[in-house]
Amino acid sequence: MEVEQIKTLSGPALAKAVSSLLEAPNLYVFSDILELPNVRELEKGPHAPVYQLLKLFAYGTYSDYRQRAASLPELTPAQRNKLRHLSIISLASNQKCLHYSLLLQQLELKNVRELEDLLIEALYCRVIQGKLDQRNQQVEVDCSKSRDLGPNALPGIVNTLQEWCTGCDAVLSGISKQVNRANLERKRQQKKKNEVETQVKELKKKTRSGSWMGFGIGPSRGGFRR
């Protein structure tokens, strides 16, 4: 079901449509749905648990669901699988090498076989891109799908960008100093080269002048004199 279709729904039909969307295989961003006026109305009605589940799919993880499971609708197998995929994305945003032990704990899977099946599925669906390292019991993540930004995520992003900008300024300052030193060294070398060329020219002049003085030609009674 498309977002445009959801706009026309309300009550139980809307709650059912939202629950179905949480199973959609290629849907990992939910901000467009959360911002719909009729969906926001679910928050204060009898279908509030569905709205809270939608928010959890947007910003939360499987561990968050387990902590609040008593107040939320029971997950279908497809929703459970999707929420685990979303949790992997969140973990991959903080570290690019995810150990099996961490994933087994966070995703509450029984064994490595179940975990690897889930990871292979995530790789196949391009939820994450990377490779399994079975020898070291970890998955190396190159990149992953994006998720919605949580309400409190923006300040952290701003701080990260400011730190990045500060780092860039420091690098540019270091490069500028190196360029200045290189320019000064180039000028020094050029000056030295000019001085050497001047000395060579003077030496050539003196050499030619000495040759004419030592072996000069001039008139004499006997003809030429040496």
Side-chain angles (χ1 to χ4, degrees):
M1 180 174 291
E2 299 294 335
V3 174
E4 290 298 322
Q5 293 175 290
I6 290 182
K7 291 180 180 179
T8 65
L9 302 176
S10 62
L14 176 59
K16 183 178 180 180
V18 169
S19 296
S20 296
L21 276 175
L22 298 180
E23 299 181 355
N26 295 318
L27 182 62
Y28 291 89
V29 177
F30 304 91
S31 56
D32 289 346
I33 303 169
L34 280 168
E35 291 172 0
L36 294 176
N38 60 330
V39 172
R40 278 186 281 181
E41 289 178 1
L42 292 176
E43 185 176 12
K44 298 180 180 180
H47 303 290
V50 174
Y51 180 82
Q52 294 301 324
L53 185 62
L54 174 62
K55 285 185 65 176
L56 190 140
F57 268 68
Y59 310 126
T61 64
Y62 190 77
S63 292
D64 296 330
Y65 173 79
R66 295 299 299 164
Q67 293 173 10
R68 300 170 52 193
S71 62
L72 295 171
E74 185 177 354
L75 296 176
T76 66
Q79 288 172 345
R80 191 180 305 276
N81 203 55
K82 167 70 75 63
L83 189 54
R84 281 173 168 154
H85 282 178
L86 291 166
S87 301
I88 293 172
I89 294 172
S90 292
L91 291 169
S93 67
N94 296 319
Q95 48 187 314
K96 297 304 180 184
C97 187
L98 303 176
H99 291 275
Y100 283 7
S101 57
L102 172 66
L103 293 169
L104 286 168
Q105 177 188 5
Q106 293 294 316
L107 305 179
E108 296 191 19
L109 293 168
K110 296 178 181 178
N111 51 57
V112 171
R113 175 63 183 273
E114 285 188 358
L115 174 60
E116 288 187 337
D117 286 345
L118 180 71
L119 291 172
I120 290 170
E121 181 183 59
L123 289 166
Y124 180 78
C125 297
R126 303 185 74 81
V127 173
I128 57 172
Q129 295 182 43
K131 63 179 180 180
L132 296 183
D133 184 352
Q134 294 175 309
R135 180 177 181 181
N136 294 310
Q137 297 282 283
Q138 63 188 20
V139 56
E140 299 173 5
V141 181
D142 297 326
C143 61
S144 64
K145 286 185 177 292
S146 300
R147 292 196 67 182
D148 296 284
L149 293 177
N152 301 319
L154 193 57
I157 293 174
V158 171
N159 289 335
T160 299
L161 290 175
Q162 287 176 340
E163 291 175 358
W164 181 77
C165 289
T166 300
C168 288
D169 289 340
V171 171
L172 289 174
S173 176
I175 292 174
S176 179
K177 289 179 181 178
Q178 291 181 14
V179 169
N180 289 336
R181 284 197 294 267
N183 287 335
L184 289 173
E185 179 63 18
R186 182 177 60 81
K187 290 179 180 179
R188 190 182 70 81
Q189 292 293 339
Q190 186 62 45
K191 182 180 179 181
K192 184 176 181 180
K193 179 182 177 183
N194 293 340
E195 290 175 352
V196 170
E197 289 177 349
T198 301
Q199 291 175 0
V200 170
K201 289 179 181 179
E202 292 296 327
L203 183 60
K204 287 181 177 179
K205 288 181 180 179
K206 290 180 180 179
T207 301
R208 285 195 294 269
S209 176
S211 297
W212 283 107
M213 291 177 65
F215 301 93
I217 301 176
S220 65
R221 292 181 180 179
F224 293 98
R225 67 178 176 83
R226 182 175 180 181

